[in-house]
């Protein structure tokens, strides 16, 4: 199968998932974690900007578009699953920046990607009209791909210190009107908030997993897709750090007895 045929197949499968049963899309931080998630039976993957930044020794927001494109290519090559890319704010403030980010990761193998409305350089939300213009440009770039590319638009209010649900809904509605395929407001914390967002939109909604809520509960109030963001990265890093502290502080080597079925996960 040619690379383009493979991407068309993945893109069509990913698009169809948003019209079928609700699903969980976990976020690997490298090729190994992507392979494990595929082996465990997940049907699609999304990159995590914070998790990937960690692998480079960086804080979230310091990864470049070049680095992200290489990361997407590596994740895509490691798995047969559709891959959606966390593109932060499109690596620049203009609509052209957002469009270019979509084109770059589409060329690298992604069949989906998200653009957020937070200006990481100036630490503020973009004005709603400008934010919608950026989504419109990203949608146009997505439509220019030679395969189905699913564009997710993110409203960042709730993880940027502005838990204004009405404004979040207005932003998502404007992104929906701009042509986004999926809407996403990370940081919604209650079933009532999730229900309000899902009920205000006609297109599929991605919800960031909330510790304390189950997948079934989140789906029951309207979510089509549930992602975990960087959380799986931090689960793994905490286990690593806890084991290292036990060695340093108590000489306790017991955590090193852990075994995982690597041959089963990575075998051909």
């Amino acid at each position: 199968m040619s690379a383009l045929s493979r991407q068309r197949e993945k893109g069509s499968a990913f698009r169809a998932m948003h019209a079928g049963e609700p699903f969980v899309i976990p976020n690997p931080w490298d090729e190994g974690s992507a392979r494990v998630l595929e082996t465990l039976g997940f049907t699609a993957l999304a990159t995590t900007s914070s998790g990937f930044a960690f692998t480079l020794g960086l804080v979230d927001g310091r990864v470049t578009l070049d680095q992200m494109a290489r990361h997407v290519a590596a994740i895509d090559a490691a798995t047969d699953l559709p891959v959606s890319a966390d593109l932060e704010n499109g690596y620049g403030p203009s609509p052209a920046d957002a469009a270019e980010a979509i084109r770059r990761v589409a060329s690298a193998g992604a069949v989906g990607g998200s653009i957020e409305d937070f200006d990481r350089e100036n630490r503020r939300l973009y004005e709603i009209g400008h934010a919608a213009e950026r989504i419109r440009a990203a949608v146009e770039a997505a439509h220019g791909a030679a395969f189905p590319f699913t564009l997710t638009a993110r409203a960042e209010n709730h993880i940027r210190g502005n838990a204004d649900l009405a404004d979040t809904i207005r932003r998502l509605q404007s992104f929906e009107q701009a042509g986004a395929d999926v809407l996403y407001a990370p940081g919604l914390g209650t079933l009532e908030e999730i229900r309000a967002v899902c009920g205000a939109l006609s297109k599929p909604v991605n919800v960031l997993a909330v510790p304390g809520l189950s997948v079934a509960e989140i789906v029951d109030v309207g979510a089509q897709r549930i992602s975990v963001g960087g959380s799986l990265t931090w689960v793994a890093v905490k286990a690593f750090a806890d084991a290292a502290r036990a060695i340093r502080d108590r000489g306790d080597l017991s955590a090193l007895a852990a075994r995982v079925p690597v041959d089963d996960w990575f075998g051909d």
Side-chain angles (χ1 to χ4, degrees), residues 22 46 50 59 79 98 111 137 147 151 166 195 201 210 223 253 257 259 262 266:
S50 62
V59 296
T79 170
V111 295
F147 54 86
L151 191 284
R195 182 184 289 110
L201 303 165
V210 181
L253 304 176
R259 294 291 180 268
V262 174
F266 296 166

Side-chain angles (χ1 to χ4, degrees), residues 22-46:
F23 64 101
V24 175
I25 183 168
N27 303 72
W29 57 92
D30 62 7
E31 298 97 310
S33 56
R35 290 282 296 276
V36 171
L37 292 168
E38 179 178 25
T39 303
L40 292 176
F42 290 96
T43 55
L45 303 172

Side-chain angles (χ1 to χ4, degrees), residues 154-160 163 184-190 193-194 206-210:
R154 291 176 46 149
E156 298 283 288
N157 267 334
H158 287 256
I159 60 171
R160 305 297 178 184
Y184 180 19
L188 300 177
T190 67
E193 288 178 336
I194 297 167
N206 182 91
V207 171
L208 182 64
V210 181

Side-chain angles (χ1 to χ4, degrees), residues 226-265:
I226 299 171
S227 58
V228 303
S231 295
L232 284 176
T233 312
W234 314 132
V235 169
V237 171
K238 183 178 186 303
F240 158 77
D242 286 348
R245 287 193 194 98
I247 294 169
R248 181 197 65 190
D249 297 341
R250 303 189 302 278
D252 180 357
L253 304 176
S254 60
L256 303 183
R259 294 291 180 268
V260 293
V262 174
D263 289 343
D264 293 340
W265 288 341

